[in-house]
């Protein structure tokens, strides 16, 4: 497929707002793609470059992109920045600049979808001191051969934000429809192989294979997630349940075959080198080939330390030894997904638990099985006394469902509810906050992954944190207008609030009363931010509680 055709499809989809129509449109394209283009197309249309399980990163920020476009369009960098500020969108700015250049140049080599993918592979492979130069060269090559409309989507793809509203759910439905397979089969296969590109290939070539796909070592799957709930409800519904401490650490997935092991973070980054102590503990605890799920916690003098200490270690790339002396991380393993060549994800939790206890002779997180609400409440009180966040209440006959936030796992913890929101912009501060960002614009996501503003947060941020936040965001600025800046999305804030209100002021249709910054969620990616549906649910629940209209 030519990249031009891909760009035209994106343009068309951008103009459609109905979900079914979008799915139909993509479903008609998929069968016509060859084996090479199909998986690339499927990832690109969601704004992603590589398979979800892959730890490869493109690593292109707005600045590098501006440099490449300036070079190709034959303008100064400031002209690119000015166009981005004016249009408020990198894609549109690039399109405009390439259109001006097109009038003066004659030769363009047709870009294929595959050329763009290969270019991205070269960018991701660039390492070390010269990596920025190499990435820039590739970006210049691609933009140099792009027509204006191709430039729009090439730029957005490089920043991994396509803005056409084709989220994972829509693409999954399109694959099922295109190849006439059950959408649940597509969903199951996707959970296990964690790449819709490969799933699309299987759906076309050999749909029976979709039910036979197996989890594979060194291809991380998304973590299974929990919903908030109560002990009483969970026991009333399921009888005997598994109650575990809810640790306030950082989630990890450990893969081991023979002497080789890797550890992946919740965002599926490879963090093995940052946390060698966790790797060592687990290698010493088993001789089997395994995939384990657990939480790494920081411990000092027998008591767990807050999450901030843990995430600092996960991020660390240098001086790991000295950092390790200050904060030791200990794994608490609560699940096993794979054992000696066999996938365990479809087995019930009770069975997985037995395998886990037989396989790992240390670092197994305690689990209590009870159907007695009073006993479960006791465990909850113990958890809090021990310094943990609360408890997880899990359904004993449940499979492991990667990436799903369902009621098979319920989290119970005290205190106020918070939201995880994408930070999409900011306003410059005043007075003591001058020269820094003073308030941050927050967004939820709709079902297509579009980010919709829901409010601003300025409270709860200490001066020290404010300075850190400036460092975190300064290279993410993609547009400026007066006192406001727009960020390349990617950072997630956990935010407290007193109430959710409906509001015409923000595109989401909602606003937060008294929003309060809690922390940066480095362990979460954009696809994990609060969805519009779930915000609406919270709003409805809140209305039920207060009885107000
Ligand atoms: P929160 O914001 O409440 O920490 P979350 O949004 O990070 O939750 P949830 O899936 O809602 O993620 O809560 C489950 C998280 O709790 C897991 O991702 C994991 O990191 C952590 N956790 C701690 N102890 C356990 C446990 N025993 N079983 C499963 N998850 C646990």
């Amino acid at each position: 497929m030519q990249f031009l055709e891909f760009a035209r499809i994106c343009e068309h989809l951008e103009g459609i707002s109905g979900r079914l129509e979008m799915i139909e449109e993509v479903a008609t394209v998929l069968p016509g793609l060859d084996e090479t283009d199909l998986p690339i197309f499927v990832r690109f249309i969601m704004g992603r470059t590589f398979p979800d399980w892959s730890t490869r990163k493109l690593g292109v920020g707005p600045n590098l992109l501006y440099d490449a476009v300036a070079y190709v369009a034959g303008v100064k960098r400031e002209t690119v920045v000015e166009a981005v500020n004016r249009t408020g969108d990198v894609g549109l700015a690039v399109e405009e600049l390439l259109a001006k250049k097109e009038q003066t140049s004659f030769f363009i080599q047709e870009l294929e979808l595959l050329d763009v993918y290969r270019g991205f592979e070269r960018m991701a492979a660039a390492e070390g001191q010269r990596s920025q130069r190499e990435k820039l060269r590739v970006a210049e090559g691609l933009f140099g051969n792009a027509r204006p409309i191709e430039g729009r989507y090439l730029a957005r793809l490089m920043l991994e934000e396509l803005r056409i509203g084709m989220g994972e759910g829509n693409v999954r439905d399109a694959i099922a429809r295109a190849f006439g397979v059950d959408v649940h089969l597509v969903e199951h296969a996707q959970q296990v192989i964690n790449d819709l590109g490969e799933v699309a290939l299987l759906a076309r070539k050999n749909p029976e294979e979709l039910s036979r796909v197996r989890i594979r070592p060194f291809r991380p799957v998304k973590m299974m997630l929990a919903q908030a709930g109560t002990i009483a409800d969970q026991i009333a519904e399921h009888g005997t349940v598994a109650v575990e401490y809810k640790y306030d650490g950082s989630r990890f997935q450990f893969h081991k075959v023979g002497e080789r092991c890797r550890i992946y973070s919740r965002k599926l980054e490879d963090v093995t080198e940052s946390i060698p102590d966790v790797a060592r503990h687990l290698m010493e605890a088993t001789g089997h080939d395994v995939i384990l799920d657990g939480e790494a916690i920081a411990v000092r003098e027998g008591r767990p330390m807050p999450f901030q200490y843990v995430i600092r270690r996960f991020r660390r790339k240098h001086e790991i030894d000295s950092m390790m002396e200050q904060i030791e991380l200990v794994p608490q393993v609560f699940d096993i997904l794979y054992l000696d060549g066999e996938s365990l994800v479809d087995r019930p939790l009770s069975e997985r638990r037995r395998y886990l206890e037989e396989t790992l002779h240390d670092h197994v997180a305690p689990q209590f099985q009870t159907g007695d609400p009073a006993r479960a409440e006791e465990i909850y009180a113990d958890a809090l006394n021990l310094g943990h966040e609360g408890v997880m209440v899990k359904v004993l006959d449940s499979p492991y469902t990667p990436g799903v936030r369902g009621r098979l796992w319920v989290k119970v913890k005290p205190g106020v509810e918070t939201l995880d929101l994408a930070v999409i912009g900011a306003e410059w501060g005043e007075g003591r906050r001058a020269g820094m960002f003073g308030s941050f614009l927050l967004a939820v996501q709709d079902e297509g992954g579009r980010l919709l503003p829901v409010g601003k947060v300025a409270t709860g941020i200490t001066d020290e944190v404010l300075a850190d936040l400036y460092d975190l965001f300064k290279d993410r600025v993609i547009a400026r207008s007066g006192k406001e800046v727009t960020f390349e999305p990617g950072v997630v804030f956990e935010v407290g609030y007193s109430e959710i209100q409906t509001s015409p002021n923000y595109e989401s249709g909602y606003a937060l009363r008294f929003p309060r910054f809690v922390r940066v969620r480095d362990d979460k990616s954009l696809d994990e931010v609060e969805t519009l549906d779930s915000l609406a649910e919270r709003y409805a629940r809140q209305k039920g509680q207060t009885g107000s209209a």
Side-chain angles (χ1 to χ4, degrees):
M1 175 184 258
Q2 289 188 351
F3 192 70
L4 179 62
E5 197 182 337
F6 172 78
R8 293 211 170 114
I9 294 169
C10 290
E11 188 183 28
H12 181 66
L13 289 171
E14 210 174 334
I16 306 178
S17 57
R19 182 177 125 81
L20 293 179
E21 209 183 322
M22 292 178 91
I23 292 168
E24 187 60 41
E25 172 74 19
V26 174
T28 54
V29 176
L30 298 181
L33 296 169
D34 69 23
E35 275 189 24
T36 315
D37 286 344
L38 179 60
I40 299 176
F41 178 91
V42 164
R43 293 177 205 128
F44 278 11
I45 206 77
M46 296 186 287
R48 299 180 194 170
T49 45
F50 300 114
D52 288 351
W53 56 262
S54 169
T55 50
R56 278 195 287 187
K57 289 269 172 306
L58 206 55
V60 173
N63 289 323
L64 189 139
L65 195 145
Y66 296 168
D67 284 340
V69 173
Y71 174 80
V72 169
V75 295
K76 290 210 179 80
R77 192 174 189 289
E78 293 82 78
T79 312
V80 181
V81 175
E82 185 276 318
V84 177
N85 290 340
R86 185 163 33 75
T87 56
D89 170 49
V90 179
L92 294 177
V94 171
E95 182 174 12
E96 180 186 297
L97 292 164
L98 292 186
K100 284 189 190 140
K101 170 219 146 191
E102 203 184 32
Q103 294 155 4
T104 55
S105 66
F106 301 98
F107 177 68
I108 281 193
Q109 190 190 330
E110 286 301 336
L111 266 184
E112 298 286 325
L113 199 66
L114 186 60
D115 296 327
V116 175
Y117 184 66
R118 290 267 146 80
F120 287 172
E121 284 190 314
R122 274 172 43 213
M123 286 180 168
E127 271 179 15
Q129 279 186 333
R130 298 170 60 100
S131 68
Q132 290 307 97
R133 284 235 320 260
E134 171 66 11
K135 283 183 209 245
L136 187 62
R137 237 170 35 89
V138 178
E140 287 166 359
L142 292 173
F143 282 118
N145 287 319
R147 293 184 178 82
I149 183 76
E150 293 173 282
R152 182 198 303 180
Y153 296 103
L154 189 56
R156 293 192 193 160
L157 259 184
M158 275 188 198
L159 297 180
E160 298 192 80
E161 216 225 329
L162 208 52
R163 293 195 185 192
I164 59 170
M166 254 338 253
E168 207 170 281
N170 288 357
V171 175
R172 201 164 53 207
D173 289 356
I175 293 171
R177 199 171 168 78
F179 304 113
V181 289
D182 182 350
V183 71
H184 295 106
L185 268 183
V186 175
E187 189 177 0
H188 176 267
Q190 185 221 347
Q191 285 178 11
V192 175
I193 48 184
N194 206 6
D195 173 25
L196 268 180
E198 195 177 331
V199 170
L201 267 186
L202 278 181
R204 181 162 77 191
K205 280 202 299 204
N206 203 348
E208 297 89 72
E209 281 297 308
L210 286 175
S211 57
R212 285 191 225 122
V213 292
R214 291 284 171 262
I215 189 166
R216 277 175 257 175
F218 309 115
R219 282 196 175 197
V221 294
K222 297 198 178 98
M223 315 270 176
M224 180 165 173
L225 299 169
Q227 274 183 21
T230 65
I231 291 174
D233 286 353
Q234 200 73 341
I235 290 184
E237 193 172 335
H238 300 285
T240 301
V241 290
V243 183
E244 299 171 3
Y245 298 143
K246 184 178 192 310
Y247 303 97
D248 189 17
S250 230
R251 190 83 175 265
F252 70 82
Q253 203 174 91
F254 174 78
H255 291 224
K256 166 183 180 295
V257 173
E259 292 303 305
R260 180 169 174 233
C261 79
R262 300 316 295 168
I263 307 182
Y264 305 97
S265 70
R266 176 168 170 155
K267 284 198 229 168
L268 308 189
E269 299 147 328
D270 187 334
V271 291
T272 322
E273 310 305 333
S274 304
I275 51 171
D277 36 357
V278 175
R280 185 172 40 78
H281 283 302
L282 293 173
M283 289 303 272
E284 283 170 7
T286 185
H288 293 272
D289 294 347
V290 287
I291 298 178
L292 304 173
D293 185 6
E295 187 95 349
I297 57 170
V299 180
R300 189 178 280 171
E301 289 160 12
R303 278 192 76 82
M305 307 272 291
F307 168 83
Q308 271 72 2
Y309 288 89
V310 187
I311 198 70
R312 230 177 269 165
R313 282 285 318 277
F314 266 63
R315 270 203 304 251
R316 198 75 180 188
K317 299 237 159 46
H318 309 288
E319 298 165 38
I320 287 161
D321 286 347
S322 69
M323 200 71 179
M324 238 169 18
E325 276 170 29
Q326 294 166 38
I327 309 166
E328 211 218 334
L329 291 190
V330 181
Q332 291 285 359
V333 180
F334 45 75
D335 221 318
I336 180 164
L337 318 189
Y338 172 95
L339 175 61
D340 296 328
E342 254 195 81
S343 167
L344 302 181
V345 290
D346 296 322
R347 308 285 182 93
L349 173 62
S350 49
E351 205 177 309
R352 298 201 305 277
R353 179 73 196 183
R354 276 205 304 281
Y355 280 116
L356 178 62
E357 288 172 3
E358 285 164 17
T359 307
L360 209 66
H361 50 73
D362 205 358
H363 303 295
V364 178
Q367 186 188 77
F368 309 88
Q369 298 188 1
T370 179
D372 174 7
R375 172 70 190 119
E377 290 291 345
E378 257 171 44
I379 301 164
Y380 179 43
D382 288 347
L384 298 180
N385 281 333
L386 288 167
H388 302 305
E389 246 192 332
V391 287
M392 304 288 294
V393 186
K394 302 181 178 176
V395 176
L396 278 164
D397 59 6
S398 62
Y400 190 97
T401 51
V404 178
R405 185 185 288 282
R407 300 202 58 79
L408 297 175
W409 288 10
V410 155
K411 55 179 172 180
V412 183
K413 59 181 181 179
V416 283
E417 279 190 41
T418 58
L419 299 171
D420 295 321
L421 300 169
V423 187
I424 56 171
E427 245 178 55
W428 288 104
E430 287 172 350
R432 238 166 16 124
R433 296 186 163 190
M436 281 190 277
F437 306 121
S439 73
F440 295 84
L441 182 62
L442 307 164
V444 292
Q445 60 171 330
D446 70 4
E447 59 188 14
R450 264 188 271 234
L451 296 174
L452 308 173
V454 69
K456 289 183 185 157
V457 66
T459 315
I461 313 177
T462 61
D463 287 352
E464 191 192 347
V465 172
L466 207 66
D468 282 353
L469 291 179
Y470 179 71
D471 283 341
L472 184 64
F473 284 105
K474 66 181 190 305
D475 294 329
R476 288 193 169 268
V477 176
I478 46 180
R480 289 164 202 263
S481 147
K483 283 176 61 62
E484 290 170 8
V485 295
T486 305
F487 293 140
E488 181 200 356
V491 177
V492 178
F493 276 4
E494 184 177 342
V495 175
Y497 58 94
S498 67
E499 200 187 333
I500 299 165
Q501 303 171 314
T502 50
S503 161
N505 296 340
Y506 294 107
E507 225 182 313
S508 63
Y510 293 94
L512 304 179
R513 200 165 138 84
F514 300 131
R516 175 180 43 82
F517 172 87
V518 178
R519 60 186 172 187
V520 178
R521 291 298 305 243
D522 301 72
D523 59 334
K524 289 205 173 179
S525 48
L526 278 186
D527 52 9
E528 290 199 81
V529 304
E530 181 79 8
T531 60
L532 193 55
D533 286 350
S534 135
L535 189 72
E537 246 173 61
R538 283 183 202 253
Y539 174 71
R541 228 183 312 141
Q542 172 195 292
K543 251 178 48 173
Q545 274 165 11
T546 57
S548 61

